[in-house]
Amino acid sequence: MKLNIAVLSGDGIGPEVTTQAIKVLKAIASAFNHDFTFTESMVGAIAIDKLGDPLPESTLKLCKSSDAVLFGAIGDPKYDNDPSAKVRPEQGLLKLRKALELYTNIRPVKAYDSLLNLSPLKKERIENTDICIYRELTGGIYFGEKQVSNNGNTASDVCEYSRTEIERITHLAFKAAKTRNKKVTLVDKANVLESSRLWRKVVTEIANEYPEITLDFLFVDNAAMQLILNPKQFDVILTENMFGDIISDEASVIGGSIGLLASASIGDQYALFEPIHGSFPQATNKGIANPIASILSAAMLLEHFKLFKEGQLIKDAVERSLALNITTPDINDDYKLNTTSDIGDFIEDFINNQDDTNVNILNRHLGQSTII
Ligand code: IPM
Ligand code: MG
C-alpha cells in the first residue's frame, strides 16, 4: 500500500518520540512491501517561534493532501505560565482537529500483564482491563463561544452540542462495541447540564439500532471514581470533549504510564494519530521519553488502513519490549539501561526478525550480542 504521511512532531519530546514511530513504520514498510513517504511540517510552539502561527497554512495544506497525519506533541511552559498570551501552541492542535473535522478521538486503555505491579492501583483491580474511550473532539466547551468582559473580571466558555455532532460519534462507538465486549457507557453530567441531557436522548435513540449492545450511563464524577475502583466494568466509554480529556488521563494510571497511551482522531475524510501525552518539556532531548504511545499510534494508523497484520506485529513487539523490561524510566527504575531510541531499535529489530524466539533476544535486539 502507498501512504503519504504528514509528520507534525511539534514541541518538547514530540520530535524524539515521533522519530521512533517513523523508524517502526519504515521497518513495517520494508517487511510488508509498502510504500510509505513522510513529509514534515511545523506545528505548536515551534511554529509560533518560527512563523508566528501555531498552525501555519502550509502545515494545514500538507495535512489535507496526505493520507494520514502522525502527530507528536505540543505545548511550552512559556505559554502555560502566561495567561495573557494572545497565541498558544494548543490552538494549533485545536484548529487542526476542527479544520480536518476529526470528530472522534479513540483512546484505548489496557493493563499490560508485565506492568501490573507498576500501577499505583491494586493488581487485582486492574488485571485484564481493556477499555476504549470514544471522546468527541470537535465540539463542546473547547469550541463554544468564549468571552471575557471588558474589565477582564468575568469570563465564559459555552458548551454546545448539536444532535448531528452526537450522532456521528455515537454510531462509531456502537460499531466498535460490536467488535469488543458489547457494552457502551455514556459518561455525562445529565443531572446538571442541558448538553448532557441531549447526549442521553440521542444516544438512547441510537442504541435501539444496536440491540446486541448494552448501554449504560454514568455521571462523570462517578465515572472518575469507578475508573479507579473497578475499571474492568468498562468496555467502550462514550463521552464529550472535555470529560474525555480528563478521564483519559486518569485512565492512563491503569496502564502504568501515560507514556503508553496512543490515540486515533478520525473524521469522515481525514485521520490523525497521536500519543495522548503532552510535550513533557522537562524530558526533552534527554533520551528518557517513552516512545511507546507514539509507536502504538503508528499501529493505529496502520489498522485504520486495514493493515491489521502490520498493526498487530507492532503491538506484539511492544508487548515483548515490556515483558523484557526494555523500557524507559517512567516504567523502569533502572533508567540508565534504555533510551528512547533503544526502544525504537528493539521494536524495529523485532519487526525485521519476526521468527526470532531465541532466549537471547534481549541482547541481540539491542545489538549487544556477538551471536549471529
Ligand atoms: C489532549 C490534550 C489536548 C486537549 C491539549 C493539548 C489541547 O490534552 O489531546 O488530550 O485538551 O485535547
Ligand atoms: Mg489531554
Side-chain angles (χ1 to χ4, degrees):
M1 181 180 278
K2 187 170 166 33
L3 287 178
N4 290 317
I5 301 171
V7 178
L8 275 49
S9 53
D11 305 322
I13 60 166
E16 50 201 291
V17 296
T18 309
T19 301
Q20 303 313 311
I22 294 173
K23 187 189 275 176
V24 169
L25 283 171
K26 284 184 174 162
I28 290 286
S30 70
F32 291 85
N33 259 320
H34 298 305
D35 178 6
F36 298 162
T37 55
F38 301 90
T39 313
E40 308 215 2
S41 199
M42 271 190 276
V43 75
I46 177 149
I48 301 177
D49 290 348
K50 301 236 159 89
L51 301 167
D53 183 349
L55 181 66
E57 203 44 51
S58 52
T59 297
L60 183 57
K61 213 170 135 204
L62 171 74
C63 294
K64 286 191 167 168
S65 62
S66 301
D67 298 304
V69 181
L70 189 61
F71 196 93
I74 50 167
D76 188 297
K78 72 181 173 213
Y79 299 97
D80 297 345
N81 303 331
D82 176 10
S84 67
K86 289 269 174 310
V87 54
R88 313 183 150 271
E90 289 76 8
Q91 288 163 348
L93 180 56
L94 298 176
K95 255 176 86 181
L96 186 61
R97 288 172 177 169
K98 195 76 176 172
L100 301 181
E101 268 209 81
L102 305 171
Y103 58 81
T104 297
N105 184 220
I106 305 166
R107 301 186 155 184
V109 178
K110 190 174 136 90
Y112 292 96
D113 284 342
S114 50
L115 300 180
L116 289 176
N117 290 325
L118 281 172
S119 173
L121 304 176
K122 288 204 178 80
K123 184 175 163 187
E124 311 75 70
R125 292 202 180 190
I126 57 173
E127 206 161 21
N128 299 322
T129 297
D130 184 357
I131 303 173
C132 201
I133 298 173
Y134 272 63
R135 168 191 177 194
E136 203 289 330
L137 203 59
T138 51
I141 197 164
Y142 274 52
F143 293 96
E145 194 188 331
K146 296 181 188 302
Q147 274 186 339
V148 184
S149 65
N150 286 340
N151 65 8
N153 290 335
T154 308
S156 62
D157 300 272
V158 173
C159 180
E160 186 177 295
Y161 270 108
S162 69
R163 168 176 281 274
T164 319
E165 284 175 314
I166 300 167
E167 279 171 353
R168 55 189 185 177
I169 183 175
T170 300
H171 281 291
L172 294 185
F174 273 88
K175 282 182 188 146
K178 266 172 131 175
T179 68
R180 297 174 44 97
N181 288 323
K182 310 206 164 31
K183 184 176 168 190
V184 171
T185 303
L186 175 65
V187 169
D188 63 22
K189 190 72 185 173
N191 50 344
V192 177
L193 303 177
E194 275 309 334
S195 54
S196 284
R197 287 194 274 273
L198 182 62
W199 271 85
R200 268 201 196 203
K201 187 164 164 243
V202 174
V203 172
T204 306
E205 279 170 28
I206 290 177
N208 292 325
E209 297 173 37
Y210 301 88
E212 68 276 49
I213 307 295
T214 309
L215 169 67
D216 69 358
F217 308 98
L218 275 184
F219 296 140
V220 62
D221 45 354
N222 188 12
M225 182 171 71
Q226 295 298 329
L227 261 176
I228 302 297
L229 282 179
N230 178 17
K232 276 181 260 193
Q233 68 184 287
F234 295 109
D235 178 23
V236 172
I237 293 179
L238 169 63
T239 192
E240 61 97 72
N241 202 343
M242 189 159 77
F243 297 159
D245 179 46
I246 297 167
I247 63 166
S248 53
D249 270 31
E250 185 193 7
S252 76
V253 177
I254 297 164
S257 168
I258 199 165
L260 300 168
L261 291 201
S263 86
S265 303
I266 308 289
D268 293 332
Q269 233 183 319
Y270 304 105
L272 176 149
F273 301 85
E274 61 165 324
I276 83 157
H277 61 70
S279 59
F280 196 10
Q282 309 89 310
T284 307
N285 291 326
K286 292 195 178 142
I288 58 170
N290 192 339
I292 296 295
S294 185
I295 290 170
L296 288 175
S297 301
M300 291 184 88
L301 183 157
L302 296 172
E303 287 168 350
H304 178 74
F305 291 99
K306 305 213 172 349
L307 301 177
F308 297 113
K309 243 170 84 186
E310 291 83 337
Q312 191 57 50
L313 182 57
I314 295 180
K315 291 193 277 190
D316 291 347
V318 166
E319 294 229 11
R320 185 63 82 90
S321 72
L322 298 177
L324 291 172
N325 212 17
I326 301 175
T327 45
T328 42
D330 50 324
I331 46 175
N332 187 341
D333 293 337
D334 193 2
Y335 60 87
K336 284 190 202 70
L337 197 58
N338 307 296
T339 64
T340 305
S341 86
D342 286 339
I343 314 295
D345 289 350
F346 174 84
I347 289 167
E348 175 190 43
D349 207 64
F350 189 95
I351 292 164
N352 292 336
N353 299 281
Q354 289 165 49
D355 303 326
D356 193 351
T357 51
N358 193 296
V359 283
N360 198 23
I361 188 169
L362 175 59
N363 286 338
R364 294 216 281 132
H365 289 262
L366 284 170
Q368 290 166 358
S369 170
T370 50
I371 302 169
I372 310 221

